[in-house]
């Protein structure tokens, strides 16, 4: 339970009860002389900035030595920001330990799988399990909490930064000791561990805890359950660090919400955010859009999943970029209109804060070519004009949208963290498996079909949805299998794919043929996996093309319909896509290959029709426009985002236009011009269809 007085959204210093969008950036004033601070504040006001994240990389400035502290500059900045109406998301500054600490205590430095030390010189060079690091980090967090916990500018605490971005896996002796303790906790005794890890294979049986190690460089494939447990452990170790800092902050300042920035983006990192979401008072996310085709769909997927982690509550976009990043092979700027589109697409999926990395573009250091709100070109620049316009749109055009929630869709797409880890390990039938890509494929199919879907973690309440797609649900513990059975028996329509339901939580094969607990539900048995080599495909009798995977299937239940068969290769004539209807109206569909986009969308449309789910957009807009809906007490807000390079007419859609983007920046107050340009996004107020339809689950609340 949260401590009395803890909050689940920002504590605004001024006019605290007025809902509003947070708008701002990481602010790193220690990189600049004092004279620049004055200009910063003036330009922040001009841009509509109302919050900054301060202190993320300030440890060496705040604590120049083990017993010396320098808070003067931060005191001054906190006061001046407050005086300018700008709130502070104050970081605990523990992300990057200073040189004096790592010199005195090299034992805090992480160790790679091959035994190399990760030296200082960049950032995040600390072991999540180091007791020494923990002691220093908590001392710093405590000092900040004690000093600023009552400061009027303080809106939220920001624990560390992107926990696990560079130090997720650490194979040090500290990690080994903590891993053993974690395993004792999970399995109780060595018998349990030996069973779970299947240690009679290759003579791996353990007779003492001190024999157990992280999966360091080994002669061949490391034990798969050891690998899976080490990933679980690594996620938990960082989560424990989050908890430890959070408790220090809570004790000193119980009324201030605590968050940390997740990285739900790209192919997702190791951290199990489905689990971590329960540890923060509100969810925050960092997202960097991929350049090129598909980038906006991936952004939408990530924002949607972040909304799912937030259980429909407002969430905080902590970082994205105004333009180029500095860490891809080639780093292009954003196209005209993209800055606003990217930001508002996050808002469409429930973000109530739109923030960037960073406020002022650095002059020195590894990120001096990374874009910022205030670029090297200065305020008289296209980027700063776009930034200022976006600040206005959020504060004025969309003011009434702040504090509303995303309207639940009728279909859900379940993303399972443990399965995503398990299918990218070694010693599998194929190294081409990718759970994130498969989920994104299905998400794109929903966008192409013009039907909204909520992306949810496995532990969310997806039972209330009419259609659930759970792709590559490889790790299937008994309770989740029971939930799936109950869902279909209750009339739900389930879709799952190849390599799902194969192993239990110990990574042991479910007995009796694949896919273990889903066999009866699907009415089939997979007799043999037939993964497809890279660059090859298989043709289906409906013209569909499959890649990555195929299965040799025996249909076992008379009611199982075969919707598509393999048309070539060794499996010709065998079932490829099936659907079984169950009494009570539910159904279970199995897709045994990675279907090409067109056929996947056609299949999805058929499944949606079977579930009675129609599109909410007129036929001619489906696939060309993404619709996302937020809802408040008296209105819905329809976000319409272009997915094509052609202008799209939307003038005939219902609702009062609130804003619309065109070319650079926005079409301005009064709304869209009835046409969505490429990368355009428009927002309309529409009367509510169902009063008070709220997300199924409540907000994430940090446990204490
Ligand atoms: C994030 C990080 C920021 C900055 C940004 C650049 O990973 O939190 O500090 O480095 O990337 O894209």
């Amino acid at each position: 339970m949260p401590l009395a007085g803890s909050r689940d959204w920002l504590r605004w210093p001024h006019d605290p009860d007025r809902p509003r969008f947070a708008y701002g950036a990481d602010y790193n004033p220690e990189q600049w002389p004092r004279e620049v601070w004055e200009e910063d504040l003036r330009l922040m006001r001009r841009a509509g900035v109302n919050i900054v994240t301060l202190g993320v990389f300030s440890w060496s400035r705040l604590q120049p030595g083990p017993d010396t502290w320098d808070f003067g500059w931060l005191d001054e900045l906190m006061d001046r920001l407050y005086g300018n109406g700008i709130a502070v998301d104050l970081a605990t500054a523990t992300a990057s330990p200073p040189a004096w600490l790592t010199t005195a205590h090299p034992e805090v430095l992480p160790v790679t799988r091959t035994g190399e030390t990760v030296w200082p010189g960049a950032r995040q060079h600390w072991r999540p399990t180091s007791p020494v690091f923990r002691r220093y980090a908590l001392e710093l967090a405590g000092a900040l909490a004690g000093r600023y916990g009552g400061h009027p500018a303080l809106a939220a605490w920001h624990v560390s930064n992107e926990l696990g971005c560079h130090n997720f896996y650490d194979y040090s002796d500290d990690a080994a000791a903590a891993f053993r303790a974690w395993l004792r906790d999970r399995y109780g005794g060595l018998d349990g561990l030996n069973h779970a890890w299947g240690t009679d294979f290759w003579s791996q049986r353990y007779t003492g805890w001190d024999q157990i190690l992280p999966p360091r460089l080994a002669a061949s494939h490391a034990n798969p359950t050891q690998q899976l447990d080490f990933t679980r452990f690594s996620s938990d170790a960082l989560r424990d660090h989050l908890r430890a800092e959070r408790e220090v902050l809570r004790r000193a300042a119980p009324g201030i919400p605590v968050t940390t920035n997740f990285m739900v983006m790209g192919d997702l990192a190791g951290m199990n955010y489905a689990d971590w979401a329960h540890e923060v008072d509100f969810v925050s996310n960092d997202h960097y859009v991929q350049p090129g085709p598909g980038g906006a769909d991936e952004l939408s997927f990530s924002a949607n999943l972040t909304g799912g982690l937030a259980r429909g509550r407002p969430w905080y976009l902590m970082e994205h970029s105004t333009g180029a990043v500095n860490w891809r092979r080639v780093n292009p700027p954003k196209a005209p209109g993209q800055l606003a589109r990217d930001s508002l697409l996050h808002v469409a999926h429930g973000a109530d804060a739109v923030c960037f990395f960073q406020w002022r573009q650095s002059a020195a250091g590894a990120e001096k070519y990374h874009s910022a709100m205030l670029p090297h070109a200065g305020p008289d620049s296209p980027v700063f004009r776009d930034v200022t316009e976006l600040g206005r749109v959020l504060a004025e055009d969309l003011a009434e949208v702040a504090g509303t929630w995303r309207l639940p869709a009728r279909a859900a797409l379940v993303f399972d963290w443990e399965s995503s880890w398990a299918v990218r390990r070694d010693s599998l039938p194929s190294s081409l498996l990718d759970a994130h890509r498969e989920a994104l494929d299905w998400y794109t199919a929903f966008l192409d079909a013009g039907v909204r879907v909520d992306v949810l973690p496995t532990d969310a309440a997806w039972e209330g949805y009419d259609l659930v797609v759970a792709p590559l649900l490889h790790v299937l513990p008994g309770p989740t299998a029971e939930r799936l059975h109950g869902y279909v028996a209750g009339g739900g329509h389930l879709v799952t794919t190849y390599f799902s339901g194969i192993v239990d939580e110990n990574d042991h094969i479910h007995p009796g043929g694949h896919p273990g607990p889903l066999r009866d539900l699907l009415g089939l048995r997979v007799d043999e996996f037939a993964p497809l080599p890279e660059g090859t495909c298989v043709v289906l009798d409906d013209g569909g093309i499959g890649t990555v995977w195929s299965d040799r299937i025996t249909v076992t239940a008379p009611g199982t319909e075969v919707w598509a068969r393999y048309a070539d290769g060794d499996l010709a004539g065998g079932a490829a896509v099936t659907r079984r209807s169950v009494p009570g109206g539910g159904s279970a569909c199995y897709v045994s290959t990675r279907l090409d986009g067109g056929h996947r969308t056609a299949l999805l449309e058929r499944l949606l029709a079977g579930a009675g789910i129609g599109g909410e957009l007129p036929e001619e807009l489906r696939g060309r426009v993404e619709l996302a809906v937020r809802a408040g007490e008296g209105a819905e807000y329809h976000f319409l985002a272009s997915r094509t390079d052609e202008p799209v007419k939307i003038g005939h859609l219902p609702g009062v236009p609130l804003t619309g983007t065109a070319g650079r920046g926005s079409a301005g107050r009064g709304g869209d011009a009835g046409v969505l340009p490429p990368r355009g996004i428009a927002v309309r107020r529409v009367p509510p269809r169902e009063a008070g339809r709220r997300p199924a689950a409540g907000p994430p609340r940090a446990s204490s």
Side-chain angles (χ1 to χ4, degrees), residues 26 28 56-57 123-124 158 161-163 165-166 261-263 265 286-288 318-321 324-327 357-358 367 370-371:
D26 276 23
N28 297 305
V56 171
F57 296 110
R123 63 177 174 184
Q124 220 173 54
H158 177 112
N161 191 61
E162 288 190 345
L163 285 161
C165 180
H166 309 292
N261 42 349
F262 295 174
M263 293 174 283
M265 68 175 121
D286 294 354
H287 186 273
Y288 289 91
M318 189 66 80
E319 290 181 23
H320 71 316
S321 72
V325 299
N326 65 307
W327 39 262
F357 178 84
Q358 61 177 326
E367 291 181 330
H370 193 294
S371 59

Side-chain angles (χ1 to χ4, degrees), residues 186-272:
R186 183 175 176 90
Y187 297 114
L190 280 175
D191 285 350
L193 179 134
N194 278 311
H195 167 74
W197 286 19
T199 53
D200 284 324
F201 181 82
W202 283 353
S203 184
Q204 292 171 352
R205 180 160 281 276
Y206 295 99
T207 55
W209 287 98
D210 57 341
Q211 300 160 7
I212 298 171
L213 295 168
R216 293 172 176 159
L217 179 66
S220 175
H221 303 297
N223 181 305
T225 315
Q226 177 193 18
Q227 291 188 56
L228 182 59
D229 272 350
F230 191 63
T231 305
R232 288 174 172 141
F233 156 78
S234 299
S235 178
D236 286 1
L238 285 155
R239 185 201 58 191
D240 288 351
H241 185 86
L242 163 61
R243 281 181 179 163
E245 287 203 17
R246 183 192 70 202
E247 291 315 300
V248 167
L249 301 168
R250 284 264 180 85
R251 271 197 296 279
I256 304 295
V258 180
T259 193
T260 192
N261 42 349
F262 295 174
M263 293 174 283
V264 178
M265 68 175 121
D267 67 353
L268 297 165
M271 288 67 72
N272 185 341

Side-chain angles (χ1 to χ4, degrees), residues 448-488:
D448 288 345
V451 172
R452 288 189 303 125
V453 60
D454 290 346
V455 187
L456 301 174
T458 321
D459 70 346
W462 37 259
E463 278 87 347
Y465 289 80
D466 297 316
L467 178 87
V468 169
V469 182
L472 259 176
L473 188 57
H474 178 66
V475 180
L476 189 61
T480 311
E482 276 166 35
R483 282 183 73 192
L484 293 174
H485 277 267
Y487 170 69
V488 174

Side-chain angles (χ1 to χ4, degrees), residues 405-438:
W405 55 90
R406 73 171 186 179
L407 187 79
R410 292 185 56 198
L413 175 58
V414 173
F415 183 80
D416 187 63
W417 251 270
E418 295 214 339
S419 294
S420 79
W421 295 337
V423 302
R424 65 162 86 173
R425 261 192 353 244
D426 54 7
S427 71
L428 294 170
S430 170
S431 55
L432 304 181
L433 293 162
D434 183 335
H436 174 259
R437 184 192 56 206
E438 186 69 28

Side-chain angles (χ1 to χ4, degrees), residues 196 225 425 427-429 474 476 499 501-517 519 526 529:
T225 315
R425 261 192 353 244
S427 71
L428 294 170
H474 178 66
L476 189 61
F499 215 39
I502 305 300
V503 296
D504 66 11
E505 64 277 19
N506 292 328
D507 201 21
H508 291 198
I509 296 290
H510 283 296
H514 309 305
R519 271 193 324 266
V526 172
F529 303 136

Side-chain angles (χ1 to χ4, degrees), residues 3-7 11 90 141-151 154-157 245-258 281:
L3 290 186
S6 81
R7 312 167 53 95
R11 190 203 62 135
L90 187 58
L144 287 163
R147 193 170 187 94
Y148 301 107
H151 196 285
L154 185 64
W157 292 114
E245 287 203 17
R246 183 192 70 202
E247 291 315 300
V248 167
L249 301 168
R250 284 264 180 85
R251 271 197 296 279
I256 304 295
V258 180
D281 290 314

Side-chain angles (χ1 to χ4, degrees), residues 21 23 49 66 137 147 153 201 273 318 454 470 525 569 585 616:
F21 286 105
Y23 187 54
V49 166
R147 193 170 187 94
F201 181 82
Y273 292 132
M318 189 66 80
D454 290 346
R525 192 181 63 236
E616 294 162 276

